[in-house]
Amino acid sequence: MNATVIGFVAIVIGLLACFAGYRIFRIVLPILGFLVGFGVGAQLATVLFNEPYLASALSWVIAIVVGLLAATIAFVWWYVSVALAIAGLGYAIGYGAAVGLGVGGTTAVVIAVALAILFALAAIVLRIPTGVVIVVSAFWGASALLGGALVLMGRIEPSQLRNGTVDVVIADSPLLLVIWVVLGVVGIAIQWFTTREARRGDAVPVV
């Protein structure tokens, strides 16, 4: 029952992120900041203490603290928070891709951190263009959507959703990888053509 609920929730979140990510991004940025921060904090705790995902009270505390910090920054500083949120999604995608390609442990974390920094720098240097948010949210949403479907089909456990299922999508089958790419591209196209007004006034306030 819990797996069914989690699967449906992942599908709904994936659909919204993939096809309406930018609009949701602007509205629920603090919530997204917490979720991204929570996931990053939990993953870092897993690597630092060499234990299963959220297996101890300390790992929960670290995840919640990082999540609350990210949510606070998102609420107070829009410009900085968008960059951090994009970095967090970049971390999730980078870590999942590394694991899916058979690279684990500290190396996977280093790759994920490098991609997170790259995403954040791109967002800052390019002044957070709509396109950066659209691309990241579309592909992250596509992976969450596929992950939810795989949970409902019983092919993965709900705990495997922690990396946005990018690792599962890449490692499971070439067909899933193709579907992920197609969904991401379609999501980008739909978001791009439905955010014309937002893109015209895409001046992001610093405070």
Side-chain angles (χ1 to χ4, degrees):
M1 182 63 179
N2 288 337
T4 301
V5 173
I6 292 173
F8 275 117
V9 170
I11 288 175
V12 171
I13 292 175
L15 284 171
L16 291 173
C18 185
F19 302 113
Y22 180 72
R23 295 184 184 279
I24 295 173
F25 202 89
R26 296 176 69 91
I27 297 172
V28 296
L29 185 58
I31 298 175
L32 178 60
F34 174 80
L35 293 176
V36 169
F38 183 91
V40 171
Q43 191 62 58
L44 289 176
T46 297
V47 173
L48 290 175
F49 303 116
N50 192 28
E51 60 183 20
Y53 191 78
L54 294 176
S56 67
L58 180 59
S59 63
W60 274 92
V61 170
I62 293 175
I64 291 173
V65 168
V66 175
L68 290 175
L69 178 62
T72 301
I73 293 174
F75 183 77
V76 177
W77 295 294
W78 165 267
Y79 185 83
V80 175
S81 64
V82 172
L84 288 177
I86 289 176
L89 292 176
Y91 179 96
I93 292 173
Y95 186 86
V99 172
L101 294 173
V103 179
T106 304
T107 303
V109 173
V110 171
I111 292 173
V113 170
L115 189 61
I117 294 173
L118 179 64
F119 275 34
L121 288 176
I124 292 172
V125 171
L126 300 176
R127 295 191 59 80
I128 321 294
T130 307
V132 175
V133 177
I134 288 176
V135 171
V136 174
S137 62
F139 279 103
W140 184 88
S143 64
L145 171 59
L146 288 175
L150 291 173
V151 168
L152 291 180
M153 291 186 292
R155 291 178 58 177
I156 66 172
E157 296 296 322
S159 61
Q160 291 180 269
L161 294 173
R162 63 180 181 268
N163 300 318
T165 69
V166 178
D167 53 337
V168 177
V169 169
I170 291 177
D172 193 275
S173 72
L175 177 60
L176 270 183
L177 179 58
V178 171
I179 294 174
W180 178 58
V181 172
V182 171
L183 281 173
V185 172
V186 172
I188 291 171
I190 290 176
Q191 287 195 56
W192 185 259
F193 287 109
T194 57
T195 57
R196 291 179 180 177
E197 293 300 321
R199 284 189 280 116
R200 286 177 187 153
D202 199 25
V204 180
V206 177
V207 181

